Amino acid sequence: MRKAAGVAEEAANSRTFAAVARAGYVVSGLLHLLIGVIALQLAVGRGGEADVSGAVTELARQPAGPFLLWACIAACAALALWQLGNAILGFRGGVGNKLTKRLSAVGQAIVFAGLAATIVSFVAGKGQNSRESTSDYTVTLMKAPFGMFLLIAIGAGIAITGIVFAVRGFRQKFTKDLSLSSHQSVRKFQLGVGVVGYIAKGIALFLVGLLVVIATVRAEPEQSTGLDGSLKALREQPYGVYLLAAVALGLIAYGLFLMVKARTLRT
């Protein structure tokens, strides 16, 4: 067991593996950037799916689409394994050995493993529109024992996560994970995309969670439509076009922040 743990730790600390794992943040950043661009198109009256499925579809349409998708799968899977290793083996330097840090690593491992699985399903030709899949998932849970209570808890959890994101961005808590540049202009860019991006991501998550709760309470699962449905619902509100455009720009900023994070993440 000790030997296996030692091998796992050595692999997790490998520079090559760490570089591939960091590329997972670049992939996530690229997907957020594409989602933001699609959301901007929605704001000006054009069509599209402003979610991961829509972003992956856009990637697949590129000349090197299959290669890009497999590269994204590898990077996300590596980052999931890296974060899982951090959760199990702990972070170097002693500072990161707190329970909250390990739980955060578990959460990120789950997120990036799910992202890799989503892209794999598209490569295999089994990709599903997230609006439909979210609605179907809601219907299935509603039929399960205590399903409505579980759905409300899930929706509330997503909404609370959104609030945490927004607060984290407003208070610049994300800087604890980064090595900020000594150059003032670069530092301002890091802080700018971080603040705007975290707040926009928080708003988007809050809307998704809110729709899940509303759909459950009203017993109307078709209202639980994921990120794309949440953004389209936002567009229908008073001044919704402007609000959607602002959130879209924020998601683009969050995508840029994740790319910056890949380069400047503290380990």
Side-chain angles (χ1 to χ4, degrees), residues 199-225:
I199 292 175
K201 176 74 172 180
I203 292 172
L205 288 173
F206 180 80
L207 291 174
V208 171
L210 184 63
L211 279 188
V212 171
V213 173
I214 292 174
T216 304
V217 172
R218 293 182 177 178
E220 297 175 352
E222 67 277 4
Q223 290 191 20
S224 180
T225 50

Side-chain angles (χ1 to χ4, degrees), residues 70-235:
W70 279 112
C72 290
I73 291 168
C76 289
L79 182 53
L81 289 173
W82 193 40
Q83 291 291 3
L84 186 60
N86 286 334
I88 296 173
L89 303 173
F91 293 77
R92 286 176 290 175
V95 178
N97 288 326
K98 295 179 181 179
L99 178 61
T100 53
K101 196 85 171 180
R102 289 179 181 244
L103 290 176
S104 175
V106 171
Q108 290 195 58
I110 293 172
V111 168
F112 282 98
L115 188 55
T118 299
I119 302 175
V120 166
S121 68
F122 273 84
V123 172
K126 299 179 181 178
Q128 188 178 10
N129 181 292
S130 64
R131 171 187 284 261
E132 296 174 357
S133 61
T134 304
S135 182
D136 292 344
Y137 180 73
T138 303
V139 170
T140 302
L141 272 184
M142 277 186 175
K143 294 178 179 178
F146 305 105
M148 292 187 66
F149 297 102
L150 181 58
L151 275 172
I152 290 175
I154 291 173
I158 295 173
I160 291 171
T161 301
I163 294 173
V164 171
F165 260 80
V167 172
R168 185 175 172 83
F170 183 76
R171 300 182 63 184
Q172 299 184 10
K173 291 290 187 179
F174 57 86
T175 57
K176 294 180 179 180
D177 301 326
L178 304 179
S179 296
L180 295 175
S181 174
S182 57
H183 297 285
Q184 188 174 3
S185 58
V186 177
R187 188 186 184 93
K188 284 183 177 180
F189 177 77
Q190 289 177 301
L191 293 175
V193 293
V195 171
V196 175
Y198 263 87
I199 292 175
K201 176 74 172 180
I203 292 172
L205 288 173
F206 180 80
L207 291 174
V208 171
L210 184 63
L211 279 188
V212 171
V213 173
I214 292 174
T216 304
V217 172
R218 293 182 177 178
E220 297 175 352
E222 67 277 4
Q223 290 191 20
S224 180
T225 50
L227 178 59
D228 178 66
S230 300
L231 294 178
K232 288 176 179 175
L234 177 63
R235 183 182 58 186

Side-chain angles (χ1 to χ4, degrees), residues 23-99:
Y25 285 116
V26 177
V27 171
S28 183
L30 178 59
L31 293 178
H32 276 87
L33 196 151
L34 289 173
I35 292 170
V37 170
I38 296 170
L40 269 181
Q41 293 176 351
L42 292 176
V44 297
R46 297 175 61 183
E49 299 294 328
D51 51 25
V52 172
S53 63
V56 173
T57 300
E58 286 297 319
L59 276 181
R61 289 174 179 168
Q62 303 309 309
F67 171 78
L68 288 174
L69 292 182
W70 279 112
C72 290
I73 291 168
C76 289
L79 182 53
L81 289 173
W82 193 40
Q83 291 291 3
L84 186 60
N86 286 334
I88 296 173
L89 303 173
F91 293 77
R92 286 176 290 175
V95 178
N97 288 326
K98 295 179 181 179
L99 178 61

Side-chain angles (χ1 to χ4, degrees), residues 237-250:
Q237 305 308 310
Y239 304 103
V241 171
Y242 303 104
L243 292 173
L244 177 56
V247 172
L249 291 173

